[in-house]
Amino acid sequence: MKNEKLFDAITEIDEKYIDEANTEKIHVKKGLSWKVWGTVAACLVVAAAVGTVIRFFPPGASAGGGTNREPGSNYMSYAGPAFPLATLEDVSGIIFERSTDFDFSPYYPYEDSYEDSDGETVTYEVYDDDVWVTDSYIAKNTTDEDITFTAVYPFAGSIRTETDRIPSVTIDGSAAETELKIGPYSGGFSPAWGDESGESISLNLSSIESWDEYKALLENGEYLKAAFAEKPTLDQSVIVYSFDIEYNIDMEEFDKIDNPDALVTFDCDYEKSGVMFIGFNGMTWSREEGWAKVTSSVPKSFNPDFEKNIMHIIVYGDDIDNINMKSTAGEIEHYNDERAETDAFTVTMERREMTLGEIILETISSENYGVIYYGNDYEHTVRDMLSDEEYLGFVAEFMYAHGQLSENPAQRYDGGRLDDVISETASVSRIMYVTFEVTVPAGESVVIETKTLREASYDFYGGREKLNIEGFDLVTRAGTNLVFEKQSASVSNTEYIEIVYNNFGFDIENGIMNVLLGEEEHYWMEIISKKQEE
Amino acid sequence: MEDEKIIELYNARNEFAITETERKFGKMLFAIAMNILSNKEDSEETVNDTYGKAWNSIPPQVPNSLGAWLGRITRNLSITRWRMNKAQKRSGMEIMLSELEECIPSAADTESESESGEITAAINRWLGSLKKEERLLFVRRYWYGDSVADLAKKANILPKKLSSKMFRLRKSLKDSLEKEGISL
């Protein structure tokens, strides 16, 4: 049967689509909006710290990439180009010479192994699709005075970026003391699929997909300023209702209960109050009728968040009333239905008055938070380098720019779920800057060398000509104030890769591995791994 | 427990591997089986068979995504079982199959039938071209086998509206398969 054959073919679809459909929420239609929160907040907040960069895509545009794109641009996963060095001060007395090497040694296959059931060690070959980029600068001081400046070396990443991908810097061969500055979210938001009404303009995150968007972002220097700016604070007074669970029966019995849910209902005048949530996974509300209903599934003994629940309702402005807690369980017909009440557990509540910053800080510094939010494991990432207080600053910055405190909030955060804002602060793409001091003595030169382990840009499937093409690129002028005498680029350790397309002028077969760059603003190459071809 | 840790348990021949697998994926696997077989006992057995298969396959296999890998085993076992007792009442499988009829491309110029791998590759390309929401809806409906009613609940839209979205998606898949010259 033909449909069975099709069914079998669907069984074998790519695992990433299977995983995606198992973990991602489906946002088809936006709920009622809580614009009041944005408005109330906007009146009371002095100023947003950063300029908001929002790009709008017409529906259908952001699926991007794939088979039809131009070489060197618009990857589905774009790692960002190697940016040129820049400085905070004017350094017109210094002339720079740049040379950038792409070292493909990570593509060399190496052996990995595991132990099988008989205790035998099984070895197999793997390779990494990364490249070491060494970006070197000779800085020549043409004046008769020493010049000291703060250098900034940008790279694209996120607070989830692994620390070993942060560029390292040497000055005349010795390691430089560096500091990391982190810019705001570099992408924008895009509409939901199939929304012909045009109402859902900002339900999805949409990251930068091409070098010229980075160029536009860095053009006027505002982005760099924002990366160095002090982060805003969250001093707004709020009322916090915190909930906890008491189990009334034996856990063995409790674990058999279907869908135990803590249900909280309350009345709220949305003209006078704003409400945000932490730890609730379902919500319905009516602005007109002035009520809301939130639910949180009660952990069973085998759930990772057992006895580690975090559940808060955060009220801003007038207090809410008629707060009612119910313990429910069982099956329901329709998502709007209420489950039957149960005695198996009790929901308890505590009321506190504090600031918005305090309750968010309490949440992110709770050791339970990482347990509850799967994927919140941030060891060896940039997050690991930040204190909880510093991270709170980035959450605040994100809330003022795109979240509940923004004058132009993204619909994505309309529902008031702070969990999304807190976790997406870590995952959204940003430009980060490695900064360091350099002194170039009068009439002399200094060599600044940065070394970065960079990821490839790629398409999630097939790509052009069905090759698994991976891209690496470089920009020559975007975001820099420096004057370059010349720029050159090279490739090295290319034994296990083949350059399929490039505009650098590399031609490995004919030994052209080192080229002088011309007037282009963007140079790119697309490669395939020889191991992958086998 | 993290997938890597569970796989380590399998590698160490530790029976907690099954316990942990059941904790983490049991519900999902049962749903996949149930959506195809529409029979509780059969589905339970299929899920148990899945654990047995996992136990026998890891090692040497090292699944990239444990969830997807297990899900695929459950799906295949469920289809086999469904084929064995086809005489049964109308199950979720029949409903899905009748919907998928609409995706069958009209006879292409090519004379021979396409290989299953080619069809999957074409479906992967089509999925990759979709907006995320469309893709989630399609994979939830035809891979996980969620009923239209359940899926509508998940997506927070009316079942009727979802039906018309699914109809457009099936049409789009059909067009795409035809364009690629796929013949079933």
PDB file of all heavy atoms in Angstrom, chain A residues 3-5 7 9 11 13-14 18-21 114 193 335, chain B residues 60 65 72 75 83 101 113-114 120 124 134-135 140 143-144 156:
ATOM      1  N   ASN A   3       0.239   4.310   0.953  1.00  0.00           N
ATOM      2  CA  ASN A   3       0.260   5.153   2.151  1.00  0.00           C
ATOM      3  C   ASN A   3       1.093   4.519   3.265  1.00  0.00           C
ATOM      4  O   ASN A   3       1.698   5.199   4.064  1.00  0.00           O
ATOM      5  CB  ASN A   3      -1.156   5.498   2.628  1.00  0.00           C
ATOM      6  CG  ASN A   3      -2.054   4.287   2.690  1.00  0.00           C
ATOM      7  OD1 ASN A   3      -1.593   3.160   2.472  1.00  0.00           O
ATOM      8  ND2 ASN A   3      -3.318   4.510   2.968  1.00  0.00           N
ATOM      9  N   GLU A   4       1.142   3.184   3.280  1.00  0.00           N
ATOM     10  CA  GLU A   4       1.995   2.529   4.276  1.00  0.00           C
ATOM     11  C   GLU A   4       3.466   2.774   3.969  1.00  0.00           C
ATOM     12  O   GLU A   4       4.299   2.927   4.863  1.00  0.00           O
ATOM     13  CB  GLU A   4       1.710   1.026   4.336  1.00  0.00           C
ATOM     14  CG  GLU A   4       0.419   0.714   5.057  1.00  0.00           C
ATOM     15  CD  GLU A   4       0.155  -0.779   5.156  1.00  0.00           C
ATOM     16  OE1 GLU A   4       1.068  -1.538   5.446  1.00  0.00           O
ATOM     17  OE2 GLU A   4      -0.982  -1.176   4.913  1.00  0.00           O
ATOM     18  N   LYS A   5       3.771   2.809   2.679  1.00  0.00           N
ATOM     19  CA  LYS A   5       5.157   3.084   2.294  1.00  0.00           C
ATOM     20  C   LYS A   5       5.542   4.508   2.733  1.00  0.00           C
ATOM     21  O   LYS A   5       6.637   4.750   3.239  1.00  0.00           O
ATOM     22  CB  LYS A   5       5.282   2.948   0.777  1.00  0.00           C
ATOM     23  CG  LYS A   5       6.719   2.886   0.314  1.00  0.00           C
ATOM     24  CD  LYS A   5       6.830   2.490  -1.134  1.00  0.00           C
ATOM     25  CE  LYS A   5       8.274   2.612  -1.576  1.00  0.00           C
ATOM     26  NZ  LYS A   5       8.423   2.433  -3.014  1.00  0.00           N
ATOM     27  N   PHE A   7       4.154   6.098   5.177  1.00  0.00           N
ATOM     28  CA  PHE A   7       4.209   6.051   6.638  1.00  0.00           C
ATOM     29  C   PHE A   7       5.581   5.545   7.103  1.00  0.00           C
ATOM     30  O   PHE A   7       6.186   6.093   8.020  1.00  0.00           O
ATOM     31  CB  PHE A   7       3.101   5.120   7.150  1.00  0.00           C
ATOM     32  CG  PHE A   7       2.819   5.258   8.614  1.00  0.00           C
ATOM     33  CD1 PHE A   7       1.968   6.245   9.075  1.00  0.00           C
ATOM     34  CD2 PHE A   7       3.400   4.407   9.539  1.00  0.00           C
ATOM     35  CE1 PHE A   7       1.698   6.377  10.430  1.00  0.00           C
ATOM     36  CE2 PHE A   7       3.148   4.533  10.893  1.00  0.00           C
ATOM     37  CZ  PHE A   7       2.285   5.526  11.337  1.00  0.00           C
ATOM     38  N   ALA A   9       8.346   5.723   5.399  1.00  0.00           N
ATOM     39  CA  ALA A   9       9.359   6.739   5.076  1.00  0.00           C
ATOM     40  C   ALA A   9       9.350   7.838   6.140  1.00  0.00           C
ATOM     41  O   ALA A   9      10.394   8.359   6.529  1.00  0.00           O
ATOM     42  CB  ALA A   9       9.095   7.325   3.689  1.00  0.00           C
ATOM     43  N   THR A  11       8.633   7.378   9.227  1.00  0.00           N
ATOM     44  CA  THR A  11       9.279   6.812  10.427  1.00  0.00           C
ATOM     45  C   THR A  11      10.761   7.163  10.478  1.00  0.00           C
ATOM     46  O   THR A  11      11.324   7.388  11.538  1.00  0.00           O
ATOM     47  CB  THR A  11       9.128   5.274  10.429  1.00  0.00           C
ATOM     48  OG1 THR A  11       7.739   4.966  10.404  1.00  0.00           O
ATOM     49  CG2 THR A  11       9.759   4.657  11.684  1.00  0.00           C
ATOM     50  N   ILE A  13      12.370   9.810   9.365  1.00  0.00           N
ATOM     51  CA  ILE A  13      12.780  11.216   9.237  1.00  0.00           C
ATOM     52  C   ILE A  13      13.870  11.555  10.247  1.00  0.00           C
ATOM     53  O   ILE A  13      14.038  10.870  11.243  1.00  0.00           O
ATOM     54  CB  ILE A  13      11.598  12.218   9.401  1.00  0.00           C
ATOM     55  CG1 ILE A  13      10.910  12.028  10.752  1.00  0.00           C
ATOM     56  CG2 ILE A  13      10.631  12.098   8.253  1.00  0.00           C
ATOM     57  CD1 ILE A  13      10.002  13.176  11.129  1.00  0.00           C
ATOM     58  N   ASP A  14      14.536  12.648   9.947  1.00  0.00           N
ATOM     59  CA  ASP A  14      15.684  13.084  10.737  1.00  0.00           C
ATOM     60  C   ASP A  14      15.337  13.212  12.231  1.00  0.00           C
ATOM     61  O   ASP A  14      14.312  13.787  12.588  1.00  0.00           O
ATOM     62  CB  ASP A  14      16.143  14.449  10.196  1.00  0.00           C
ATOM     63  CG  ASP A  14      17.564  14.744  10.602  1.00  0.00           C
ATOM     64  OD1 ASP A  14      17.881  14.539  11.787  1.00  0.00           O
ATOM     65  OD2 ASP A  14      18.340  15.162   9.735  1.00  0.00           O
ATOM     66  N   ILE A  18      12.298  14.913  15.104  1.00  0.00           N
ATOM     67  CA  ILE A  18      11.568  14.127  16.101  1.00  0.00           C
ATOM     68  C   ILE A  18      11.760  14.754  17.483  1.00  0.00           C
ATOM     69  O   ILE A  18      10.803  14.965  18.227  1.00  0.00           O
ATOM     70  CB  ILE A  18      12.073  12.666  16.096  1.00  0.00           C
ATOM     71  CG1 ILE A  18      11.888  12.052  14.700  1.00  0.00           C
ATOM     72  CG2 ILE A  18      11.333  11.849  17.145  1.00  0.00           C
ATOM     73  CD1 ILE A  18      12.536  10.690  14.528  1.00  0.00           C
ATOM     74  N   ASP A  19      13.012  15.071  17.784  1.00  0.00           N
ATOM     75  CA  ASP A  19      13.309  15.697  19.079  1.00  0.00           C
ATOM     76  C   ASP A  19      12.620  17.042  19.208  1.00  0.00           C
ATOM     77  O   ASP A  19      12.051  17.371  20.245  1.00  0.00           O
ATOM     78  CB  ASP A  19      14.824  15.924  19.226  1.00  0.00           C
ATOM     79  CG  ASP A  19      15.535  14.626  19.582  1.00  0.00           C
ATOM     80  OD1 ASP A  19      14.868  13.727  20.113  1.00  0.00           O
ATOM     81  OD2 ASP A  19      16.741  14.528  19.321  1.00  0.00           O
ATOM     82  N   GLU A  20      12.712  17.809  18.143  1.00  0.00           N
ATOM     83  CA  GLU A  20      12.127  19.145  18.158  1.00  0.00           C
ATOM     84  C   GLU A  20      10.637  19.069  18.506  1.00  0.00           C
ATOM     85  O   GLU A  20      10.140  19.804  19.361  1.00  0.00           O
ATOM     86  CB  GLU A  20      12.324  19.778  16.780  1.00  0.00           C
ATOM     87  CG  GLU A  20      11.671  21.120  16.577  1.00  0.00           C
ATOM     88  CD  GLU A  20      11.747  21.550  15.118  1.00  0.00           C
ATOM     89  OE1 GLU A  20      11.125  20.883  14.265  1.00  0.00           O
ATOM     90  OE2 GLU A  20      12.422  22.545  14.829  1.00  0.00           O
ATOM     91  N   ALA A  21       9.942  18.115  17.844  1.00  0.00           N
ATOM     92  CA  ALA A  21       8.497  18.012  18.069  1.00  0.00           C
ATOM     93  C   ALA A  21       8.189  17.478  19.460  1.00  0.00           C
ATOM     94  O   ALA A  21       7.073  17.603  19.947  1.00  0.00           O
ATOM     95  CB  ALA A  21       7.860  17.117  17.006  1.00  0.00           C
ATOM     96  N   TYR A 114      34.635   3.270  23.383  1.00  0.00           N
ATOM     97  CA  TYR A 114      33.774   2.942  24.517  1.00  0.00           C
ATOM     98  C   TYR A 114      33.980   1.472  24.849  1.00  0.00           C
ATOM     99  O   TYR A 114      34.527   0.714  24.049  1.00  0.00           O
ATOM    100  CB  TYR A 114      32.304   3.221  24.195  1.00  0.00           C
ATOM    101  CG  TYR A 114      31.730   2.369  23.098  1.00  0.00           C
ATOM    102  CD1 TYR A 114      31.118   1.154  23.383  1.00  0.00           C
ATOM    103  CD2 TYR A 114      31.788   2.780  21.768  1.00  0.00           C
ATOM    104  CE1 TYR A 114      30.592   0.370  22.381  1.00  0.00           C
ATOM    105  CE2 TYR A 114      31.279   2.003  20.753  1.00  0.00           C
ATOM    106  CZ  TYR A 114      30.666   0.790  21.062  1.00  0.00           C
ATOM    107  OH  TYR A 114      30.153   0.015  20.066  1.00  0.00           O
ATOM    108  N   TRP A 193       3.688  31.082  12.204  1.00  0.00           N
ATOM    109  CA  TRP A 193       3.369  30.551  10.905  1.00  0.00           C
ATOM    110  C   TRP A 193       1.888  30.703  10.589  1.00  0.00           C
ATOM    111  O   TRP A 193       1.039  30.558  11.452  1.00  0.00           O
ATOM    112  CB  TRP A 193       3.723  29.066  10.849  1.00  0.00           C
ATOM    113  CG  TRP A 193       3.126  28.396   9.678  1.00  0.00           C
ATOM    114  CD1 TRP A 193       3.526  28.491   8.381  1.00  0.00           C
ATOM    115  CD2 TRP A 193       1.976  27.543   9.678  1.00  0.00           C
ATOM    116  NE1 TRP A 193       2.717  27.738   7.594  1.00  0.00           N
ATOM    117  CE2 TRP A 193       1.758  27.154   8.359  1.00  0.00           C
ATOM    118  CE3 TRP A 193       1.128  27.076  10.674  1.00  0.00           C
ATOM    119  CZ2 TRP A 193       0.713  26.313   7.997  1.00  0.00           C
ATOM    120  CZ3 TRP A 193       0.079  26.239  10.311  1.00  0.00           C
ATOM    121  CH2 TRP A 193      -0.113  25.867   8.985  1.00  0.00           C
ATOM    122  N   TYR A 335      -8.946  21.227  26.841  1.00  0.00           N
ATOM    123  CA  TYR A 335      -7.899  21.869  27.634  1.00  0.00           C
ATOM    124  C   TYR A 335      -8.433  22.920  28.592  1.00  0.00           C
ATOM    125  O   TYR A 335      -7.780  23.310  29.536  1.00  0.00           O
ATOM    126  CB  TYR A 335      -6.811  22.474  26.739  1.00  0.00           C
ATOM    127  CG  TYR A 335      -7.277  23.606  25.859  1.00  0.00           C
ATOM    128  CD1 TYR A 335      -7.151  24.925  26.260  1.00  0.00           C
ATOM    129  CD2 TYR A 335      -7.840  23.345  24.615  1.00  0.00           C
ATOM    130  CE1 TYR A 335      -7.581  25.959  25.461  1.00  0.00           C
ATOM    131  CE2 TYR A 335      -8.263  24.371  23.796  1.00  0.00           C
ATOM    132  CZ  TYR A 335      -8.139  25.673  24.216  1.00  0.00           C
ATOM    133  OH  TYR A 335      -8.565  26.673  23.428  1.00  0.00           O
TER     134      TYR A 335
ATOM    135  N   PRO B  60      26.315  -2.380  21.078  1.00  0.00           N
ATOM    136  CA  PRO B  60      27.287  -1.406  20.602  1.00  0.00           C
ATOM    137  C   PRO B  60      26.691  -0.084  20.128  1.00  0.00           C
ATOM    138  O   PRO B  60      27.417   0.867  19.969  1.00  0.00           O
ATOM    139  CB  PRO B  60      27.917  -2.130  19.404  1.00  0.00           C
ATOM    140  CG  PRO B  60      26.835  -2.999  18.870  1.00  0.00           C
ATOM    141  CD  PRO B  60      26.044  -3.440  20.069  1.00  0.00           C
ATOM    142  N   SER B  65      20.249  10.688  19.743  1.00  0.00           N
ATOM    143  CA  SER B  65      19.150  11.186  20.563  1.00  0.00           C
ATOM    144  C   SER B  65      18.407   9.971  21.064  1.00  0.00           C
ATOM    145  O   SER B  65      17.759   9.267  20.296  1.00  0.00           O
ATOM    146  CB  SER B  65      18.236  12.073  19.728  1.00  0.00           C
ATOM    147  OG  SER B  65      16.973  12.128  20.342  1.00  0.00           O
ATOM    148  N   ARG B  72      11.515   5.611  17.583  1.00  0.00           N
ATOM    149  CA  ARG B  72      11.490   4.976  16.270  1.00  0.00           C
ATOM    150  C   ARG B  72      11.319   3.463  16.422  1.00  0.00           C
ATOM    151  O   ARG B  72      10.586   2.842  15.654  1.00  0.00           O
ATOM    152  CB  ARG B  72      12.767   5.322  15.506  1.00  0.00           C
ATOM    153  CG  ARG B  72      12.681   4.913  14.067  1.00  0.00           C
ATOM    154  CD  ARG B  72      13.907   5.366  13.301  1.00  0.00           C
ATOM    155  NE  ARG B  72      13.831   6.765  12.952  1.00  0.00           N
ATOM    156  CZ  ARG B  72      14.879   7.567  12.891  1.00  0.00           C
ATOM    157  NH1 ARG B  72      16.077   7.121  13.189  1.00  0.00           N
ATOM    158  NH2 ARG B  72      14.740   8.819  12.538  1.00  0.00           N
ATOM    159  N   ARG B  75       7.733   2.871  17.260  1.00  0.00           N
ATOM    160  CA  ARG B  75       6.899   3.087  16.088  1.00  0.00           C
ATOM    161  C   ARG B  75       6.964   1.884  15.159  1.00  0.00           C
ATOM    162  O   ARG B  75       5.950   1.389  14.677  1.00  0.00           O
ATOM    163  CB  ARG B  75       7.378   4.372  15.396  1.00  0.00           C
ATOM    164  CG  ARG B  75       6.430   4.904  14.347  1.00  0.00           C
ATOM    165  CD  ARG B  75       6.905   6.260  13.853  1.00  0.00           C
ATOM    166  NE  ARG B  75       6.602   6.420  12.444  1.00  0.00           N
ATOM    167  CZ  ARG B  75       5.604   7.164  11.982  1.00  0.00           C
ATOM    168  NH1 ARG B  75       4.849   7.823  12.812  1.00  0.00           N
ATOM    169  NH2 ARG B  75       5.377   7.242  10.680  1.00  0.00           N
ATOM    170  N   ARG B  83       0.142  -4.551  11.601  1.00  0.00           N
ATOM    171  CA  ARG B  83       0.015  -5.338  10.375  1.00  0.00           C
ATOM    172  C   ARG B  83      -0.411  -6.764  10.700  1.00  0.00           C
ATOM    173  O   ARG B  83      -1.108  -7.399   9.923  1.00  0.00           O
ATOM    174  CB  ARG B  83       1.340  -5.343   9.606  1.00  0.00           C
ATOM    175  CG  ARG B  83       1.518  -4.044   8.835  1.00  0.00           C
ATOM    176  CD  ARG B  83       2.793  -3.966   8.035  1.00  0.00           C
ATOM    177  NE  ARG B  83       2.861  -2.640   7.403  1.00  0.00           N
ATOM    178  CZ  ARG B  83       3.955  -1.911   7.285  1.00  0.00           C
ATOM    179  NH1 ARG B  83       5.114  -2.378   7.720  1.00  0.00           N
ATOM    180  NH2 ARG B  83       3.911  -0.731   6.708  1.00  0.00           N
ATOM    181  N   GLU B 101      -3.136   9.265   2.471  1.00  0.00           N
ATOM    182  CA  GLU B 101      -3.505   9.012   1.069  1.00  0.00           C
ATOM    183  C   GLU B 101      -3.389  10.299   0.261  1.00  0.00           C
ATOM    184  O   GLU B 101      -2.969  10.298  -0.888  1.00  0.00           O
ATOM    185  CB  GLU B 101      -4.965   8.547   0.965  1.00  0.00           C
ATOM    186  CG  GLU B 101      -5.260   7.219   1.600  1.00  0.00           C
ATOM    187  CD  GLU B 101      -5.248   6.066   0.608  1.00  0.00           C
ATOM    188  OE1 GLU B 101      -4.887   6.326  -0.547  1.00  0.00           O
ATOM    189  OE2 GLU B 101      -5.573   4.935   1.011  1.00  0.00           O
ATOM    190  N   GLU B 113       9.494   2.778  -8.884  1.00  0.00           N
ATOM    191  CA  GLU B 113       9.152   3.351  -7.594  1.00  0.00           C
ATOM    192  C   GLU B 113      10.412   3.892  -6.919  1.00  0.00           C
ATOM    193  O   GLU B 113      11.489   3.344  -7.091  1.00  0.00           O
ATOM    194  CB  GLU B 113       8.555   2.262  -6.701  1.00  0.00           C
ATOM    195  CG  GLU B 113       7.156   1.868  -7.104  1.00  0.00           C
ATOM    196  CD  GLU B 113       6.578   0.854  -6.133  1.00  0.00           C
ATOM    197  OE1 GLU B 113       7.166   0.681  -5.041  1.00  0.00           O
ATOM    198  OE2 GLU B 113       5.561   0.245  -6.476  1.00  0.00           O
ATOM    199  N   SER B 114      10.242   4.950  -6.144  1.00  0.00           N
ATOM    200  CA  SER B 114      11.390   5.516  -5.441  1.00  0.00           C
ATOM    201  C   SER B 114      11.758   4.634  -4.254  1.00  0.00           C
ATOM    202  O   SER B 114      10.888   4.009  -3.636  1.00  0.00           O
ATOM    203  CB  SER B 114      11.063   6.916  -4.937  1.00  0.00           C
ATOM    204  OG  SER B 114      10.623   7.716  -6.004  1.00  0.00           O
ATOM    205  N   THR B 120      12.326   9.368   2.196  1.00  0.00           N
ATOM    206  CA  THR B 120      12.617  10.010   3.480  1.00  0.00           C
ATOM    207  C   THR B 120      13.430  11.282   3.273  1.00  0.00           C
ATOM    208  O   THR B 120      13.146  12.316   3.878  1.00  0.00           O
ATOM    209  CB  THR B 120      13.394   9.056   4.405  1.00  0.00           C
ATOM    210  OG1 THR B 120      12.612   7.878   4.610  1.00  0.00           O
ATOM    211  CG2 THR B 120      13.666   9.701   5.747  1.00  0.00           C
ATOM    212  N   ASN B 124      12.447  14.898   4.477  1.00  0.00           N
ATOM    213  CA  ASN B 124      13.327  15.716   5.316  1.00  0.00           C
ATOM    214  C   ASN B 124      13.521  17.103   4.717  1.00  0.00           C
ATOM    215  O   ASN B 124      13.490  18.108   5.422  1.00  0.00           O
ATOM    216  CB  ASN B 124      14.701  15.061   5.470  1.00  0.00           C
ATOM    217  CG  ASN B 124      14.711  14.021   6.584  1.00  0.00           C
ATOM    218  OD1 ASN B 124      13.914  14.102   7.508  1.00  0.00           O
ATOM    219  ND2 ASN B 124      15.592  13.064   6.482  1.00  0.00           N
ATOM    220  N   GLU B 134       4.627  24.674  11.503  1.00  0.00           N
ATOM    221  CA  GLU B 134       4.068  23.702  10.567  1.00  0.00           C
ATOM    222  C   GLU B 134       4.728  22.355  10.782  1.00  0.00           C
ATOM    223  O   GLU B 134       4.087  21.307  10.790  1.00  0.00           O
ATOM    224  CB  GLU B 134       4.367  24.125   9.125  1.00  0.00           C
ATOM    225  CG  GLU B 134       3.803  25.445   8.698  1.00  0.00           C
ATOM    226  CD  GLU B 134       4.315  25.805   7.311  1.00  0.00           C
ATOM    227  OE1 GLU B 134       3.742  25.352   6.323  1.00  0.00           O
ATOM    228  OE2 GLU B 134       5.333  26.516   7.221  1.00  0.00           O
ATOM    229  N   ARG B 135       6.065  22.413  10.925  1.00  0.00           N
ATOM    230  CA  ARG B 135       6.827  21.184  11.059  1.00  0.00           C
ATOM    231  C   ARG B 135       6.432  20.443  12.347  1.00  0.00           C
ATOM    232  O   ARG B 135       6.233  19.240  12.351  1.00  0.00           O
ATOM    233  CB  ARG B 135       8.319  21.523  11.084  1.00  0.00           C
ATOM    234  CG  ARG B 135       9.212  20.315  10.991  1.00  0.00           C
ATOM    235  CD  ARG B 135      10.618  20.729  10.638  1.00  0.00           C
ATOM    236  NE  ARG B 135      11.187  21.631  11.624  1.00  0.00           N
ATOM    237  CZ  ARG B 135      11.708  22.809  11.359  1.00  0.00           C
ATOM    238  NH1 ARG B 135      11.756  23.259  10.116  1.00  0.00           N
ATOM    239  NH2 ARG B 135      12.207  23.559  12.313  1.00  0.00           N
ATOM    240  N   ARG B 140       4.184  15.946  14.969  1.00  0.00           N
ATOM    241  CA  ARG B 140       3.340  15.481  16.080  1.00  0.00           C
ATOM    242  C   ARG B 140       2.212  14.592  15.543  1.00  0.00           C
ATOM    243  O   ARG B 140       1.905  13.569  16.113  1.00  0.00           O
ATOM    244  CB  ARG B 140       2.704  16.649  16.848  1.00  0.00           C
ATOM    245  CG  ARG B 140       3.585  17.490  17.757  1.00  0.00           C
ATOM    246  CD  ARG B 140       4.281  16.855  18.902  1.00  0.00           C
ATOM    247  NE  ARG B 140       3.687  15.710  19.536  1.00  0.00           N
ATOM    248  CZ  ARG B 140       4.306  14.990  20.479  1.00  0.00           C
ATOM    249  NH1 ARG B 140       5.521  15.316  20.884  1.00  0.00           N
ATOM    250  NH2 ARG B 140       3.723  13.960  21.008  1.00  0.00           N
ATOM    251  N   TRP B 143       4.183  11.468  13.076  1.00  0.00           N
ATOM    252  CA  TRP B 143       5.264  10.655  13.651  1.00  0.00           C
ATOM    253  C   TRP B 143       4.852  10.183  15.046  1.00  0.00           C
ATOM    254  O   TRP B 143       4.853   9.008  15.330  1.00  0.00           O
ATOM    255  CB  TRP B 143       6.582  11.438  13.713  1.00  0.00           C
ATOM    256  CG  TRP B 143       7.766  10.514  13.775  1.00  0.00           C
ATOM    257  CD1 TRP B 143       8.494  10.049  12.710  1.00  0.00           C
ATOM    258  CD2 TRP B 143       8.343   9.918  14.952  1.00  0.00           C
ATOM    259  NE1 TRP B 143       9.474   9.186  13.147  1.00  0.00           N
ATOM    260  CE2 TRP B 143       9.414   9.080  14.520  1.00  0.00           C
ATOM    261  CE3 TRP B 143       8.076   9.982  16.310  1.00  0.00           C
ATOM    262  CZ2 TRP B 143      10.208   8.350  15.395  1.00  0.00           C
ATOM    263  CZ3 TRP B 143       8.859   9.250  17.192  1.00  0.00           C
ATOM    264  CH2 TRP B 143       9.918   8.439  16.725  1.00  0.00           C
ATOM    265  N   TYR B 144       4.446  11.131  15.889  1.00  0.00           N
ATOM    266  CA  TYR B 144       4.005  10.742  17.230  1.00  0.00           C
ATOM    267  C   TYR B 144       2.566  10.236  17.216  1.00  0.00           C
ATOM    268  O   TYR B 144       2.115   9.617  18.169  1.00  0.00           O
ATOM    269  CB  TYR B 144       4.140  11.915  18.202  1.00  0.00           C
ATOM    270  CG  TYR B 144       5.583  12.220  18.550  1.00  0.00           C
ATOM    271  CD1 TYR B 144       6.324  13.146  17.822  1.00  0.00           C
ATOM    272  CD2 TYR B 144       6.212  11.552  19.597  1.00  0.00           C
ATOM    273  CE1 TYR B 144       7.648  13.400  18.125  1.00  0.00           C
ATOM    274  CE2 TYR B 144       7.537  11.804  19.908  1.00  0.00           C
ATOM    275  CZ  TYR B 144       8.246  12.732  19.173  1.00  0.00           C
ATOM    276  OH  TYR B 144       9.553  12.982  19.480  1.00  0.00           O
ATOM    277  N   ASN B 156      -3.409  24.941  21.218  1.00  0.00           N
ATOM    278  CA  ASN B 156      -4.351  25.948  21.669  1.00  0.00           C
ATOM    279  C   ASN B 156      -5.155  26.557  20.524  1.00  0.00           C
ATOM    280  O   ASN B 156      -5.344  27.768  20.449  1.00  0.00           O
ATOM    281  CB  ASN B 156      -3.604  27.033  22.453  1.00  0.00           C
ATOM    282  CG  ASN B 156      -4.532  27.826  23.343  1.00  0.00           C
ATOM    283  OD1 ASN B 156      -5.666  27.429  23.584  1.00  0.00           O
ATOM    284  ND2 ASN B 156      -4.048  28.968  23.817  1.00  0.00           N
TER     285      ASN B 156
END
